[in-house]
Amino acid sequence: MTNKDQQQLGKTLWNIANDLRGAMNADDFRDYMLSFLFLRYLSYNYEEAAKKELGKDYPNLPETDKTTPLSVWYASNKDEVEDFEQQMRRKVHYVIEPAHLWSNISEMARTQNSELLVTLESGFRYIENESFESAFQGLFSEINLNSEKLGKTSAERNKKLCTIIQKIAEGIAEFSADSDTLGDAYEYLIGEFAAGSGKKAGEFYTPQQISTILSEIVTLDSQEPKTGKKGKLDKVFDMACGSGSLLLNVRKRIKDAGGSVGKIYGQEKNITTYNLARMNMLLHGMKDTEFEIFHGDTLENQWDVLNEMNPSKKTEFDAIVANPPFSLRWEPTDTLAEDFRFKSYGLAPKSAADFAFLLHGFHFLGKEGTMAIILPHGVLFRGGAEERIRTKLLKDNHIDTVIGLPSNLFYSTSIPVCILVLKKCKKHDDVLFINASEHYEKGKKQNTLRDNEDIDQPNDIRKIVATYQFRPEYIERYARRVSMDEIEKNAYNLNISRYVSTSLDEVKIDLKEVNAKLTTINESIKTNTDKHNEFLKELGLPTI
């Protein structure tokens, strides 16, 4: 399927969402829509695997028969069902009962079956508690099929669900059901729902263009970015992963370049977003053994994987990306002051946890890894505790690049933000500053970075990544490598405009030259006026 077709599927589903949600809040409808899309993917994947597993024994039903083939096989082979499901768990890592498959659910919706709601609830509970054993427990915990937002009575809710599912089934029918197609449609919908959620979108979504910049940066060789992409990333981490889009973008970039990713790790505090992230992983064709998403508070470090006290056993990541909540208020305590993540640097202030997120991630960065994190500009110049943390990171030569982005790129804020790139293997003793604040395309609600495929057209994303990759000494009004001596003279203030100004230099005016020109002009006026008056006199007319 072409990219155009994949985008069209996303648009088709978004139009269905707009038509059906009515007065329902976009965030609430998002969870229903994406859960049904997820069930569609799981079902298709499972049925395809069942066909291979059963071979000629898989029932071949006429098109007029809307019965689910697996339900026919189950009914005829009751003694073999347990062995079959064990085999499916080994091969596709999950099981879906025939009654819970999308093909059956969508047929129930088409015929307005009064048992759809009950069957769907049963299916969700089975997938959570039995299909994936413990790995996907609570996956649909935030989907309330009995919510009054769907209808006041059970019958009304059943009818609404029938309509939603039928429309989704019709919209998807003509498109491929492979993981790339549905995964891209899922991403498209998350982006559209984020656009409609305004400030709340920051909880679960990083705009794709920004995600691409971070992903491209961390997949390049850490010590010599100009040599290109790494061949493999063993572990990739996002400590505030939202719906998981940023992690998936890193995976896509490295795989598109012919490389591989061992395992991706994400942490998310919001339960609904945590469930979205797990669905997102599977929808992109990942097995549950290829990723681990943890539900918990990053700042409190509740994840056992990251709590190993023995330094030799510490989990380290080859690439870390993050778009944490900006300037989140938190509760730094005496206990946290002794925490291994913060002890060497100090605690971020209560008013802004930005450096707490940064230090959390940086602690787990591998010696040959790269970390790229999105933060508000305040981290570059604020004083107090943040100044002390920033100064130590600079003196230890861990801050590699500072990238300033245009304003109004994010759904959650209109302020301009920056990307900090950090390394433990940094070989340069300077900091690269990229001031991309003036490079964007203005939109009615949201500004965007220009992303033209034509090499001769402006491409803001490509320019940022290329500047980071090849690290030029100087690009006028755009980038500069700044020595640590100069940064020290500026009291370790990283305000980008101090080092790379986008303002045009004032044109110097030579007053002597201007005076000489004015004198010449005045003399010319007098000479020509005298000549003109001579003509007027000859004609007997008054002079001027």
Side-chain angles (χ1 to χ4, degrees):
M1 180 176 280
T2 65
N3 289 335
K4 186 176 180 181
D5 288 337
Q6 290 172 347
Q7 190 177 43
Q8 187 56 48
L9 174 57
K11 288 180 178 178
T12 298
L13 292 171
W14 176 242
N15 290 335
I16 289 170
N18 275 332
D19 290 342
L20 294 178
R21 73 181 177 93
M24 191 184 294
N25 182 284
D27 289 339
D28 292 326
F29 195 82
R30 175 198 69 203
D31 298 335
Y32 293 113
M33 186 88 178
L34 296 179
S35 295
F36 295 150
L37 192 62
F38 178 61
L39 179 60
R40 163 63 153 75
Y41 167 73
L42 286 183
S43 297
Y44 176 83
N45 198 42
Y46 187 75
E47 287 180 293
E48 289 298 300
K51 284 180 186 177
K52 290 181 181 178
E53 183 64 28
L54 296 174
K56 58 183 177 56
D57 292 333
Y58 189 83
N60 185 17
L61 305 179
E63 287 187 17
T64 53
D65 189 341
K66 299 301 181 182
T67 309
T68 302
L70 264 184
S71 65
V72 175
W73 186 87
Y74 267 60
S76 305
N77 300 273
K78 292 178 181 178
D79 294 339
E80 298 177 42
V81 168
E82 186 177 344
D83 289 340
F84 168 74
E85 290 188 347
Q86 284 182 355
Q87 187 70 354
M88 294 300 283
R89 286 184 199 281
R90 282 195 291 270
K91 292 194 172 180
V92 292
H93 295 253
Y94 65 92
V95 167
I96 299 182
E97 298 287 281
H100 305 146
L101 289 165
W102 176 261
S103 52
N104 185 59
I105 294 292
S106 60
E107 179 60 19
M108 292 180 77
R110 188 184 70 81
T111 57
Q112 294 286 306
N113 192 306
S114 60
E115 294 297 309
L116 179 132
L117 193 155
V118 174
T119 305
L120 199 55
E121 260 192 323
S122 172
F124 282 172
R125 297 295 82 80
Y126 182 89
I127 290 172
E128 286 183 317
N129 302 320
E130 298 181 58
S131 177
F132 295 96
E133 297 177 350
S134 62
F136 287 84
Q137 203 154 16
L139 191 64
F140 299 100
S141 61
E142 297 300 291
I143 308 302
N144 184 3
L145 297 174
N146 286 298
S147 169
E148 288 198 2
K149 293 172 182 177
L150 288 169
K152 290 186 177 180
T153 67
S154 179
E156 287 177 355
R157 292 192 285 274
N158 194 86
K159 184 177 180 182
K160 178 75 171 178
L161 287 169
C162 282
T163 302
I164 293 170
I165 292 169
Q166 183 183 358
K167 290 293 184 184
I168 292 173
E170 290 172 355
I172 289 178
E174 61 185 275
F175 295 97
S176 168
D178 62 69
S179 61
D180 285 341
T181 304
L182 284 182
D184 287 347
Y186 191 89
E187 288 282 339
Y188 181 90
L189 286 172
I190 288 176
E192 291 299 315
F193 279 117
S197 298
K199 290 188 176 180
K200 290 177 68 179
E203 296 176 3
F204 64 88
Y205 188 71
T206 301
Q208 276 293 320
Q209 295 182 319
I210 314 302
S211 174
T212 296
I213 294 172
L214 268 68
S215 301
E216 287 285 352
I217 285 173
V218 301
T219 52
L220 289 167
D221 185 84
S222 301
Q223 288 201 30
E224 291 290 350
K226 61 186 175 186
T227 61
K229 289 276 199 297
K230 293 181 178 179
K232 183 178 182 181
L233 295 173
D234 285 323
K235 296 184 180 74
V236 182
F237 179 46
D238 183 345
M239 83 284 288
C241 70
S243 59
S245 302
L246 193 43
L247 284 169
L248 286 166
N249 205 337
V250 174
R251 177 175 175 264
K252 174 178 169 55
R253 300 287 156 185
I254 200 81
K255 291 189 78 173
D256 284 353
S260 63
V261 173
K263 192 170 183 178
I264 62 179
Y265 297 77
Q267 185 162 359
E268 176 53 44
K269 184 178 180 180
N270 181 292
I271 182 68
T272 304
T273 312
Y274 159 69
N275 289 334
L276 284 180
R278 292 190 292 165
M279 291 183 195
N280 206 1
M281 298 296 127
L282 283 167
L283 264 166
H284 282 83
M286 295 190 71
K287 293 180 179 178
D288 57 313
T289 53
E290 296 177 320
F291 67 92
E292 193 167 341
I293 309 293
F294 179 75
H295 176 229
D297 191 322
T298 292
L299 299 179
E300 292 182 12
N301 201 24
Q302 301 165 332
W303 197 358
D304 289 342
V305 168
L306 304 181
N307 253 318
E308 176 56 59
M309 300 302 292
N310 186 339
S312 65
K313 295 181 180 179
K314 182 178 75 170
T315 301
E316 293 187 336
F317 300 95
D318 302 312
I320 297 178
V321 288
N323 177 21
F326 299 153
S327 299
L328 179 75
R329 291 190 67 83
W330 73 310
E331 296 296 331
T333 62
D334 291 341
T335 303
L336 283 172
E338 294 301 312
D339 189 287
F340 51 73
R341 298 168 294 163
F342 310 128
K343 192 173 182 179
S344 300
Y345 293 90
L347 292 173
K350 184 177 182 178
S351 59
D354 302 310
F355 270 113
F357 282 108
L358 182 150
L359 291 174
H360 173 88
F362 187 69
H363 178 78
F364 298 104
L365 182 65
K367 292 179 177 61
E368 298 296 322
T370 303
M371 175 177 172
I373 183 170
I374 303 167
L375 294 169
H377 269 262
V379 301
L380 302 177
F381 52 79
R382 289 192 296 239
E386 291 183 299
E387 182 180 357
R388 289 192 291 275
I389 295 170
R390 184 174 63 244
T391 299
K392 180 164 175 55
L393 285 168
L394 284 163
K395 284 184 174 179
D396 292 348
N397 202 29
H398 291 320
I399 297 179
D400 179 90
T401 304
V402 179
I403 303 170
L405 297 175
S407 61
N408 206 29
L409 291 178
F410 290 78
Y411 300 117
S412 53
T413 180
S414 61
I415 64 169
V417 300
C418 65
I419 298 172
L420 287 186
V421 181
L422 297 101
K423 298 176 184 178
K424 293 180 179 177
C425 60
K426 186 182 164 199
K427 61 182 291 186
H428 306 283
D429 59 355
D430 55 32
V431 176
L432 174 64
F433 286 83
I434 301 174
N435 193 342
S437 60
E438 302 293 319
H439 297 256
Y440 64 94
E441 192 169 291
K442 191 168 181 61
K444 288 183 179 179
K445 292 183 179 180
Q446 214 78 34
N447 293 332
T448 57
L449 298 176
R450 289 167 295 189
D451 191 16
N452 301 301
E453 292 184 8
D454 187 340
I455 197 72
D456 295 323
Q457 295 297 316
N459 186 310
D460 301 320
I461 296 172
R462 191 162 56 225
K463 185 172 183 178
I464 290 171
V465 174
T467 304
Y468 163 78
Q469 183 176 6
F470 296 104
R471 206 175 181 85
E473 287 287 345
Y474 175 72
I475 300 177
E476 186 178 3
R477 300 177 63 240
Y478 189 76
R480 184 162 76 93
R481 287 170 62 172
V482 180
S483 70
M484 287 306 302
D485 287 341
E486 184 177 343
I487 291 171
E488 184 180 358
K489 287 175 184 175
N490 278 293
Y492 298 99
N493 185 317
L494 296 181
N495 198 344
I496 299 169
S497 59
R498 283 184 178 228
Y499 305 102
V500 182
S501 175
T502 59
S503 60
L504 292 167
D505 293 334
E506 291 185 14
V507 178
K508 291 183 179 180
I509 298 173
D510 187 330
L511 292 177
K512 285 185 179 180
E513 184 181 342
V514 171
N515 186 59
K517 284 183 179 179
L518 287 173
T519 300
T520 302
I521 290 170
N522 284 330
E523 288 175 353
S524 176
I525 290 172
K526 185 177 184 311
T527 301
N528 286 297
T529 300
D530 290 343
K531 284 183 181 180
H532 187 69
N533 282 335
E534 289 298 324
F535 290 129
L536 291 174
K537 286 178 183 178
E538 289 179 13
L539 297 170
L541 297 173
T543 58
I544 55 173

